[in-house]
Amino acid sequence: MSMMRLLPALLLLAACSDYNLNGKTDPNFDSGDDDDFDPDDEDVDLGLCGTADTDPREVAIDESCIAEPITGTFTPVIKWQQTAVGDTYVTPVVGQLTDDNGNGVLDVGDTPDVVASNGVGVTFALSGDDGRVLWSAGSLGAEPATPAIGDLDGDGWNEVVGAGASGTQAFDGRTGALLWSIGTYGGGHTPQCGAVGIYDLKGDGAAEVVIGHIAYDGATGAVSFDAGSGVGDGAGHPWAAPMGVAADIDRDGKLEVVVGNAIISPNGTVEWNNGRSDGFVAVANFDGDDNGEIVVAGEGNVRLQDDDGTVIWSRNGLTGTTSGPPTVADFDGDGEPEIGVAGMGQYVVLEADGVVKWTRTTNDYSSGFTGSSVFDFEGDGAAEVVYADENDVFVFDGATGAVKMREPSHSSATCSEYPSVADIDNDGHAEIIYTSSAYSGGETGVTAIMDADDSWMPGRPVWNQHAYSITNVDDLGAIPAKPDVNWDSFNNFRSGDSTVNEGGLLTDAVPIIHDVCNDECGDGHLYVTAGVGNQGLADMPEGVAISIYSSGEIVATQYTDEVLSPGEGSDGMVFDLDPDLVGSSITVKVDSDAAGSMLGECNEDNNSEKIDKGLCQ
């Protein structure tokens, strides 16, 4: 998770107030005025308030912070539908684009957004909260690829990249303004029905855009390489569906571009080509060694390849005459990965050795190469499969294939799309997002499904591309220079994290008030320093919000940048508040819903503390 960097030690005079000021500040925080602290200074002069000691403070541990696993219900209902985007058949991708809480940066307090490109190549950004259109832009041409969201230039703001028959375009995620545009894709293909991927192939902090075997400089669109060997296309047509993915298959510390029959190095050199047919790919670990294996699906065939291209097993005719992009997850909770593949009229789940676990009849005879996603909605250790055909959106039981949901408010001509799963409204619960095009029915646009009981397990605020693998992107859209190897922790592909509700130890966030200094109120500064303490028994992740409220409204928010062990407090954070925005009292809240709640705590009633003395009034 990418968090804002806090300042080193500040020491404030104890005479400032009845509190002992002790804190850090973030150079990007919403302070209420225009004076920023210098992050390069070890000690920061706060005028009459002096400087402050930032040693963290310990808190008492609540030994009762233990919970049994909590499971949700499964009562899906439509949350919102946005039909203004028209016919749409790409995977809807999710990430934060806009500064919704107005603090000048993207952070966990902002509402995630949904991006999709419609059938004629216009790209839309929608608010995850209610589906309203934020912007529309571009002219990608017919049957565009699934777009991708990510921070291309490392400036802390996300961009959107789309591609189609008319070319590839990058947009400013905040406004939709065109950043760069390039012509049609090479190699006899176009990106139609394929997918855009964003990766830092060279590990240098500068992202590349990957489509098939071609990589583009993320900042400019210039071609980085065109390897000319496989495109990750299992459709079997010269016009359709390139989608190369990137992973450190051989654990050499660098990402390779993976297509169905080849591995391509970050400089565009083909490391091997096994001479087999191309295909859609997924990457995971199936044999327990350190390296990854490659699932390849195309034209009714599914095979598993080792990291050197050796075919471990191959199965023909499993999904009719076509196969879509494969999904890897622990479908049945046995601790081992399975493979899900859709094809012409059926969805098939295979064990790690290629043996069929179950099949389900579907209705897709238009493309026959749709995808799927996996998530454990109820937190009971049994995953669900989310899949959409020409007529309906399904949720299948991962272990048996039993139908748990069949949503008829859907129609699609189908390309390679699948529904995505993310927390699109910052409520701490996952939603399902899918697209529709008038084909078997009249439905169009983008639809979000939620749980009527608001009990589904937490989802991430990001599902940024078709080849989503959890570790390929952080929560705020930053593209890791050295991403964690997915199969070390999750061992899935096109799947959410299904290990989020294991019960046991809980965390518990409490505010720690260090000091209030009103000596410079006349010059427009009220300094409040506060931190976050962990009274629970589980480690508290970084990125917990601490906010200052006045009259019920947030006037400033900062976030922790370190994991807090039980009993540990964060470094204090200095808030430079405008006295005109503060009345006779303020409230310090940690992990508040408005700032982006991220914790499941053992006590939600101890997250705030009121301050009604030592202020400017």
Side-chain angles (χ1 to χ4, degrees):
M1 181 179 295
S2 174
M3 286 297 143
M4 300 178 288
R5 182 164 63 93
L6 303 180
L7 284 175
L10 306 170
L11 175 60
L12 258 188
L13 298 178
C16 282
S17 78
D18 293 335
Y19 297 99
N20 178 23
L21 184 57
N22 173 343
K24 288 187 176 182
T25 188
D26 180 337
N28 296 313
F29 75 84
D30 179 13
S31 65
D33 62 27
D34 296 328
D35 294 330
D36 288 333
F37 298 113
D38 183 352
D40 296 321
D41 288 346
E42 290 187 3
D43 295 310
V44 177
D45 184 7
L46 300 183
L48 295 175
C49 290
T51 54
D53 178 7
T54 59
D55 290 338
R57 299 183 180 181
E58 295 182 353
V59 294
I61 296 175
D62 183 350
E63 299 292 343
S64 68
C65 286
I66 302 175
E68 296 297 325
I70 300 173
T71 56
T73 61
F74 195 80
T75 51
V77 294
I78 290 177
K79 175 180 174 66
W80 53 255
Q81 290 180 303
Q82 177 53 263
T83 61
V85 300
D87 287 337
T88 309
Y89 40 103
V90 300
T91 300
V93 292
V94 178
Q96 290 169 325
L97 301 179
T98 54
D99 178 21
D100 301 298
N101 61 11
N103 67 349
V105 295
L106 284 183
D107 55 40
V108 295
D110 296 318
T111 301
D113 304 301
V114 179
V115 172
S117 300
N118 69 14
V120 296
V122 178
T123 299
F124 291 82
L126 312 176
S127 169
D129 191 42
D130 55 15
R132 70 186 185 280
V133 177
L134 302 176
W135 54 258
S136 62
S139 53
L140 303 173
E143 295 192 326
T146 291
I149 298 171
D151 184 357
L152 295 177
D153 52 13
D155 67 350
W157 298 95
N158 291 325
E159 286 76 40
V160 173
V161 183
S166 299
T168 302
Q169 297 178 331
F171 310 101
D172 185 310
R174 289 167 288 184
T175 65
L178 182 66
L179 300 177
W180 51 259
S181 179
I182 57 177
T184 56
Y185 184 80
H189 284 65
T190 74
Q192 291 174 267
C193 288
V196 178
I198 301 177
Y199 306 95
D200 186 348
L201 296 179
K202 299 176 182 178
D204 58 1
E208 283 81 29
V209 173
V210 174
I211 304 176
H213 58 226
I214 299 180
Y216 304 93
D217 179 87
T220 66
V223 175
S224 296
F225 65 74
D226 183 344
S229 181
V231 295
D233 174 9
H237 303 295
W239 54 268
M243 52 175 75
V245 308
D248 186 3
I249 293 290
D250 55 9
R251 304 302 290 264
D252 64 352
K254 61 183 180 180
L255 297 179
E256 292 84 29
V257 174
V258 184
V259 295
N261 53 10
I263 292 289
I264 304 164
S265 72
N267 63 11
T269 301
V270 177
E271 296 186 2
W272 55 255
N273 186 312
N274 64 3
R276 301 297 294 261
S277 60
D278 199 5
F280 299 117
V281 301
V283 178
N285 188 280
F286 291 88
D287 59 9
D289 65 7
D290 289 337
N291 295 350
E293 284 75 53
I294 305 162
V295 182
V296 184
E299 299 184 83
N301 173 270
V302 181
R303 67 179 185 264
L304 184 66
Q305 299 176 166
D306 213 341
D307 59 283
D308 62 358
T310 301
V311 176
I312 299 171
W313 55 256
S314 181
R315 303 286 185 267
N316 289 316
L318 292 174
T319 56
T321 59
T322 63
S323 301
T327 297
V328 177
D330 182 0
F331 283 67
D332 55 8
D334 67 351
E336 301 295 331
E338 286 83 33
I339 301 164
V341 183
M344 191 70 73
Q346 59 184 336
Y347 186 90
V348 179
V349 172
L350 308 173
E351 299 283 6
D353 59 2
V355 173
V356 174
K357 183 176 181 64
W358 56 262
T359 64
R360 176 61 58 184
T361 300
T362 62
N363 191 346
D364 181 14
Y365 298 95
S366 46
S367 74
F369 54 88
T370 45
S372 63
S373 57
V374 171
F375 191 75
D376 180 3
F377 291 96
E378 296 157 282
D380 57 1
E384 286 80 33
V385 182
V386 189
Y387 171 74
D389 65 11
E390 295 174 4
N391 301 327
D392 303 289
V393 179
F394 292 94
V395 174
F396 301 130
D397 178 83
T400 66
V403 176
K404 299 186 66 171
M405 182 191 83
R406 183 171 186 167
E407 173 53 62
S409 183
H410 170 67
S411 170
S412 181
T414 74
C415 269
S416 61
E417 82 273 14
Y418 64 88
S420 52
V421 180
D423 181 0
I424 59 174
D425 56 4
N426 263 349
D427 69 346
H429 304 282
E431 286 83 30
I432 299 169
I433 316 98
Y434 65 88
T435 57
S436 295
S437 59
Y439 182 72
S440 60
E443 294 87 358
T444 63
V446 182
T447 301
I449 291 178
M450 61 178 286
D451 178 47
D453 297 325
D454 217 18
S455 70
W456 284 350
M457 294 299 102
R460 292 182 76 198
V462 62
W463 191 292
N464 76 311
Q465 59 189 32
H466 195 291
Y468 173 74
S469 61
I470 299 180
T471 59
N472 70 287
V473 64
D474 83 355
D475 281 0
L476 299 180
I479 306 301
K482 299 290 184 181
D484 293 338
V485 176
N486 170 276
W487 53 87
D488 285 348
S489 300
F490 304 104
N491 205 20
N492 59 18
F493 203 89
R494 298 186 177 97
S495 172
D497 179 6
S498 295
T499 63
V500 294
N501 181 44
E502 297 178 341
L505 306 180
L506 295 174
T507 189
D508 187 27
V510 294
I512 304 173
I513 310 301
H514 292 248
D515 193 49
V516 177
C517 182
N518 58 15
D519 290 347
E520 294 202 9
C521 288
D523 292 326
H525 301 282
L526 173 66
Y527 294 115
V528 176
T529 300
V532 179
N534 179 14
Q535 290 189 162
L537 294 173
D539 286 348
M540 183 182 296
E542 63 180 353
V544 177
I546 180 167
S547 303
I548 307 295
Y549 282 72
S550 179
S551 300
E553 300 292 331
I554 293 179
V555 296
T557 295
Q558 297 184 56
Y559 298 88
T560 60
D561 68 347
E562 58 190 339
V563 175
L564 298 179
S565 300
E568 188 176 9
S570 72
D571 294 322
M573 293 172 248
V574 174
F575 294 84
D576 181 3
L577 304 176
D578 183 346
D580 291 338
L581 299 178
V582 176
S584 59
S585 68
I586 59 175
T587 300
V588 179
K589 292 185 179 181
V590 295
D591 199 48
S592 70
D593 290 339
S597 176
M598 63 178 293
L599 300 176
E601 301 183 69
C602 89
N603 186 357
E604 298 284 354
D605 296 328
N606 59 0
N607 286 21
S608 64
E609 185 168 343
K610 185 177 181 180
I611 300 175
D612 55 9
K613 60 182 178 179
L615 304 181
C616 293
Q617 296 182 12

